[in-house]
Amino acid sequence: MKNSSNKYLSLQKLLVVILQGFKLFVISAIFTDAIIITAAESLPYIPQDAITIDCGSSRNSTAFDLRSWSGDVNSPFFPIQGRNEASIASAVLWSYTLEEDPVPHGTARLSHSEFTYTIPVSTPGPKFIRFHFYSDVYQYLDPSKAVFSVKVGRFTLLSNFSVFLSAHARGRKSIVKEFYVPIEKSIVNITFTPESSVSEAFVLINGIEVVSTPADLYFRDSDDGNHGHVLVGQDSFYYLKNDTSLETMYRINIGGKEVIPAEDTGIFRRWERDDIYLTIPGQSLGAASFISPHKFTAIPDYIAPVSVYETARTMGNDKEMNKKYNLTWEFPVDSGFYYMLRLHFCEILAEINNTGDRCFLIFISNETAELEADVIYWSGGKYVPYFRDYVVAMFGQNGENKLNLSLALEANPDDSLTLYSDAILNGAEIFKLNNSGGSLARPDSDLSPQVPQPTQQHVIQKHVRTTITVTFSGKAFGVLFLFIICLLILRACRKIRKMKNLSGSSEETICADLFHSRTPVSKQSAGVSSLPSDLCRNFSLAEIPAATNNFEDNSIGVGGFGHVYKGMINDGVTMVAVKRLKPRSSQGVQRVPDRDQMNLATSYADCGEEANEPSRVGPFLSSREKT
Ligand SMILES: *[C@@H]1O[C@H](CO)[C@@H](O)[C@H](O)[C@H]1NC(C)=O
Ligand SMILES: *[C@@H]1O[C@H](CO)[C@@H](O)[C@H](O)[C@H]1NC(C)=O
Ligand SMILES: *[C@@H]1O[C@H](CO)[C@@H](O)[C@H](O)[C@H]1NC(C)=O
Ligand SMILES: *[C@@H]1O[C@H](CO)[C@@H](O)[C@H](O)[C@H]1NC(C)=O
Ligand SMILES: *[C@@H]1O[C@H](CO)[C@@H](O)[C@H](O)[C@H]1NC(C)=O
Ligand SMILES: *[C@@H]1O[C@H](CO)[C@@H](O)[C@H](O)[C@H]1NC(C)=O
Ligand SMILES: *[C@@H]1O[C@H](CO)[C@@H](O)[C@H](O)[C@H]1NC(C)=O
């Protein structure tokens, strides 16, 4: 009796491992972009310190994006002394329910008492400090009791912070909190303290990053003269000095696609899409450049990646319509703080050549920030990236916790001041500044007002119960169920392999579409139902020269990675843009440019992936594309 139940258990374990493996496979397929990794030698900035700590793990591991994380068990970052001893390392209880990369989300450090990480860095100066949290069940602890504060030096970064509520408000289990902190010594002490007003509160932390940056990335000395921060609503400049900590609220690649940390300038920032922050979604246009804006003559090249500057949003082609509305984004922020906005500009539109061609207005929080925004005047030329910083006070009149920080662009109403009635913006970053007490935190600051007050108990119970059903109740049934799933997965895998063979493409070409397949079971079991429904097509090597007339006479531009050609596919029915990458250099892995480099709504495929001559195909668009 006992024997057979043991057998069942080990069989069950095996199946769980297989299931988990398949899930990771699917997740990593989603991360394909990340796997095509940036080679360090092409990055504008290489940080002296890029420390990644996988909390609760005893080994060094590699994440899907190929960053390596070092475990904190027995590591110098987490000295076992004083109160640190009371903390424990733990894995997520039902690890096969993980929704994210297991590094660093699969393990955590937990404690009912205070503990401190001591992280040595090579030099003092400002650092990005990122915390990765994954809200789930650890050691059967109630996830809603993960409430704590985090301090670094004299700064309070988080206070009465609930991992569960923050994750719930964002509709996912994982959250990243990013801070930019001036570090005075060659050591970063990060102290986690459970919230005393919550009974049985505990600290939960899955991953910590400490990344150094150029000292002038966001801070300004008051005597350096240029690039002061415009204090919005008051006709003066503000110099954000290195006595202040920042919390990243939003970082947006406007008009473009998400830029993952490995594609940043070397400091691992993530850039989101902008669509969900637009107040009138259908009105404006996403714009993309065929010419790579990498002339960093006005600003250093580590400020933002080229992919941020090569896409933008403009108001539209209808001059009269443009004058009737403000191109507006709204960002919910905590009341009671100052905020720093960094706006990224680059003139990428074919029509605009000179100062005065496009002059527009910028409003921040309904106050005038710029009356004469002229990107070519500021940057000194077309395709030259530039940025401007602003500081704005957000203090609610009626004691609200949340306010909307609005950013609005207005076409110049006076036609004598501009040739085109239009506006442009390429990227935006919004940071919260610590208050005079050194704190960035506000109690329950993460309860988004849009989300109804969570029925927390209900949510947890439901989660626990369904998970238990799968794992423990009715062993025989569970085994049978998992077995069937595995069989179906195996069939799905075979199908995928078959499809791959049929397509005749090289092994390396991975198409998300294959995982989006007609096998409902693989979807269910992996919990992946919302993969991008990109049209996906592989092109054979022969098709590309045929479509582009052997790359002759129809180059329509040159990007940082090679020429772009016009071509015809589908027997001359569909016009496409083909990017022919420069032959690979001998360094091995090379950065493959963004598949959405040209803001292609649907990228047909990576194609012709023969070692020497990779190319990319996308629908041919004029320089503007309606989004
Ligand atoms: C992890 O890597 C660090 C260096 O990055 C090394 O000092 C440490 O010994 C490694 N730990 C293990 C368990 O391999
Ligand atoms: C702030 O900047 C000054 C020089 O501008 C430097 O001496 C000081 O060490 C910096 N402090 C920090 C915390 O980075
Ligand atoms: C912490 O937040 C909880 C609710 O999230 C609240 O009940 C409690 O009073 C807060 N504690 C403090 C000290 O603000
Ligand atoms: C800018 O230059 C392009 C091509 O060089 C031209 O087609 C366009 O008309 C010019 N725009 C203006 C406003 O002169
Ligand atoms: C744009 O916003 C500003 C500031 O809120 C306002 O003064 C202006 O009238 C708006 N323009 C249009 C066309 O709505
Ligand atoms: C912010 O704007 C959104 C959309 O316009 C709105 O739904 C929300 O209620 C606003 N929030 C606040 C705090 O005003
Ligand atoms: C941030 O906190 C520090 C330390 O308390 C303080 O010196 C600094 O003035 C604060 N910054 C702002 C903008 O209030």
Side-chain angles (χ1 to χ4, degrees):
M1 192 63 209
K2 208 170 173 193
N3 235 343
S4 75
S5 104
N6 272 349
K7 238 188 238 162
Y8 275 133
L9 268 182
S10 54
L11 183 55
Q12 195 174 350
K13 248 188 207 158
L14 180 72
L15 289 171
V16 164
V17 168
I18 295 173
L19 197 61
Q20 177 70 0
F22 181 71
K23 208 171 121 178
L24 294 186
F25 176 59
V26 173
I27 294 179
S28 66
I30 303 170
F31 280 77
T32 358
D33 264 359
I35 288 168
I36 302 168
I37 191 78
T38 313
E41 102 280 339
S42 66
L43 295 174
Y45 182 77
I46 295 173
Q48 274 183 300
D49 298 298
I51 296 158
T52 40
I53 304 174
D54 185 6
C55 306
S57 168
S58 53
R59 36 192 201 101
N60 293 343
S61 332
T62 305
F64 289 147
D65 65 1
L66 303 188
R67 286 179 84 182
S68 47
W69 292 71
S70 45
D72 70 343
V73 176
N74 300 325
S75 101
F77 302 135
F78 195 75
I80 293 300
Q81 61 192 34
R83 281 185 284 185
N84 281 8
E85 251 178 281
S87 76
I88 58 163
S90 167
V92 172
L93 188 54
W94 297 296
S95 60
Y96 56 88
T97 62
L98 265 187
E99 288 171 3
E100 300 281 343
D101 190 338
V103 182
H105 303 96
T107 57
R109 185 158 292 281
L110 311 168
S111 179
H112 284 292
S113 58
E114 182 176 295
F115 61 78
T116 301
Y117 279 86
T118 28
I119 304 169
V121 288
S122 33
T123 50
K127 317 274 173 208
F128 272 119
I129 301 182
R130 301 191 182 96
F131 300 111
H132 298 254
F133 302 105
Y134 188 77
S135 179
D136 208 327
V137 182
Y138 302 81
Q139 309 279 324
Y140 294 100
L141 289 168
D142 177 351
S144 72
K145 298 288 188 186
V147 186
F148 50 91
S149 63
V150 181
K151 288 195 165 112
V152 172
R154 59 208 164 106
F155 301 108
T156 302
L157 305 185
L158 294 168
S159 168
N160 201 12
F161 171 73
S162 164
V163 174
F164 179 78
L165 292 182
S166 306
H168 188 81
R170 282 166 177 75
R172 54 193 304 177
K173 286 183 173 182
S174 67
I175 15 172
V176 181
K177 286 275 180 186
E178 182 185 275
F179 299 91
Y180 191 64
V181 184
I183 301 296
E184 284 158 6
K185 306 203 182 81
S186 298
I187 199 143
V188 186
N189 286 323
I190 307 177
T191 301
F192 296 80
T193 316
E195 174 61 37
S196 53
S197 67
V198 175
S199 71
E200 292 174 40
F202 65 94
V203 177
L204 161 64
I205 175 74
N206 299 73
I208 302 174
E209 287 177 57
V210 177
V211 178
S212 54
T213 75
D216 63 352
L217 184 62
Y218 297 109
F219 296 136
R220 299 282 165 260
D221 274 347
S222 45
D223 49 14
D224 87 345
N226 50 23
H227 290 319
H229 303 60
V230 175
L231 194 50
V232 175
Q234 297 162 40
D235 206 8
S236 58
F237 281 101
Y238 179 96
Y239 289 97
L240 181 59
K241 288 194 296 253
N242 65 2
D243 62 351
T244 296
S245 285
L246 312 178
E247 175 179 354
T248 309
M249 307 302 287
Y250 301 94
R251 180 174 290 120
I252 319 273
N253 178 16
I254 290 183
K257 63 159 242 171
E258 182 185 24
V259 179
I260 60 167
E263 296 169 328
D264 191 33
T265 55
I267 39 189
F268 304 103
R269 296 168 296 181
R270 182 182 291 278
W271 302 72
E272 291 179 84
R273 297 172 61 101
D274 71 324
D275 349 27
I276 61 167
Y277 303 105
L278 282 171
T279 53
I280 322 173
Q283 190 72 58
S284 55
L285 291 181
S289 171
F290 279 121
I291 296 179
S292 180
H294 49 225
K295 285 191 262 173
F296 284 88
T297 50
I299 58 168
D301 59 354
Y302 49 70
I303 294 290
V306 170
S307 45
V308 168
Y309 293 110
E310 69 193 358
T311 58
R313 193 171 285 283
T314 61
M315 297 186 81
N317 293 322
D318 184 341
K319 192 169 176 162
E320 289 315 307
M321 189 62 220
N322 289 356
K323 284 202 240 173
K324 289 201 188 93
Y325 85 108
N326 278 347
L327 172 49
T328 309
W329 296 263
E330 274 185 348
F331 302 98
V333 295
D334 298 326
S335 171
F337 292 91
Y338 279 87
Y339 288 85
M340 195 267 263
L341 283 85
R342 169 163 292 182
L343 304 184
H344 297 269
F345 300 97
C346 184
E347 189 51 78
I348 53 170
L349 258 70
E351 303 92 302
I352 314 289
N353 306 321
N354 296 306
T355 297
D357 281 1
R358 169 156 58 192
C359 191
F360 56 98
L361 290 82
I362 302 176
F363 301 95
I364 293 172
S365 191
N366 294 333
E367 304 266 11
T368 307
E370 299 287 350
L371 283 170
E372 289 177 66
D374 186 326
V375 176
I376 292 193
Y377 173 74
W378 283 337
S379 67
K382 208 169 163 175
Y383 305 113
V384 180
Y386 195 71
F387 71 87
R388 303 269 287 180
D389 289 338
Y390 305 86
V391 169
V392 61
M394 297 296 290
F395 292 87
Q397 309 287 306
N398 312 312
E400 310 95 320
N401 282 343
K402 288 271 178 186
L403 296 172
N404 272 334
L405 200 172
S406 70
L407 168 61
L409 309 183
E410 186 185 30
N412 208 319
D414 185 347
D415 282 342
S416 69
L417 296 176
T418 185
L419 204 54
Y420 287 88
S421 302
D422 201 348
I424 186 170
L425 186 62
N426 305 61
E429 292 173 87
I430 301 179
F431 299 93
K432 186 202 279 182
L433 272 53
N434 71 250
N435 61 22
S436 52
S439 177
L440 281 159
R442 207 193 142 77
D444 53 44
S445 67
D446 285 284
L447 294 171
S448 155
Q450 285 95 314
V451 177
Q453 278 304 308
T455 48
Q456 306 156 27
Q457 220 47 39
H458 180 71
V459 175
I460 301 169
Q461 302 246 304
K462 196 170 153 217
H463 173 79
V464 170
R465 212 179 300 135
T466 50
T467 322
I468 284 177
T469 317
V470 180
T471 20
F472 302 112
S473 81
K475 273 173 203 152
F477 176 77
V479 169
L480 190 67
F481 177 76
L482 288 169
F483 187 67
I484 291 172
I485 285 185
C486 281
L487 273 184
L488 290 169
I489 288 169
L490 280 178
R491 260 183 55 185
C493 287
R494 223 174 291 147
K495 212 166 175 181
I496 287 169
R497 217 176 303 136
K498 236 199 225 151
M499 285 167 66
K500 257 190 170 170
N501 288 345
L502 277 181
S503 77
S505 67
S506 82
E507 289 296 319
E508 282 162 28
T509 318
I510 303 174
C511 276
D513 194 43
L514 296 175
F515 298 93
H516 194 238
S517 63
R518 301 94 198 138
T519 50
V521 169
S522 67
K523 261 194 209 173
Q524 274 170 17
S525 59
V528 183
S529 53
S530 56
L531 281 170
S533 56
D534 287 358
L535 204 53
C536 202
R537 172 169 163 196
N538 293 313
F539 293 89
S540 71
L541 257 182
E543 264 179 286
I544 300 303
T548 57
N549 195 18
N550 209 14
F551 296 110
E552 259 170 31
D553 302 335
N554 52 1
S555 168
I556 48 177
V558 56
F561 300 95
H563 284 268
V564 181
Y565 297 85
K566 194 156 75 179
M568 304 296 268
I569 55 167
N570 296 344
D571 291 328
V573 172
T574 313
M575 197 187 278
V576 291
V578 177
K579 184 181 264 193
R580 185 191 208 183
L581 306 184
K582 284 176 192 153
R584 272 174 220 234
S585 54
S586 54
Q587 281 102 329
V589 205
Q590 195 185 22
R591 181 183 189 274
V592 176
D594 251 337
R595 137 181 349 201
D596 286 14
Q597 173 132 359
M598 287 164 272
N599 199 21
L600 304 175
T602 49
S603 174
Y604 289 137
D606 303 348
C607 49
E609 288 277 353
E610 200 183 69
N612 296 324
E613 199 159 86
S615 2
R616 256 152 216 269
V617 179
F620 181 80
L621 305 164
S622 61
S623 60
R624 291 171 157 215
E625 176 227 348
K626 185 118 186 141
T627 52

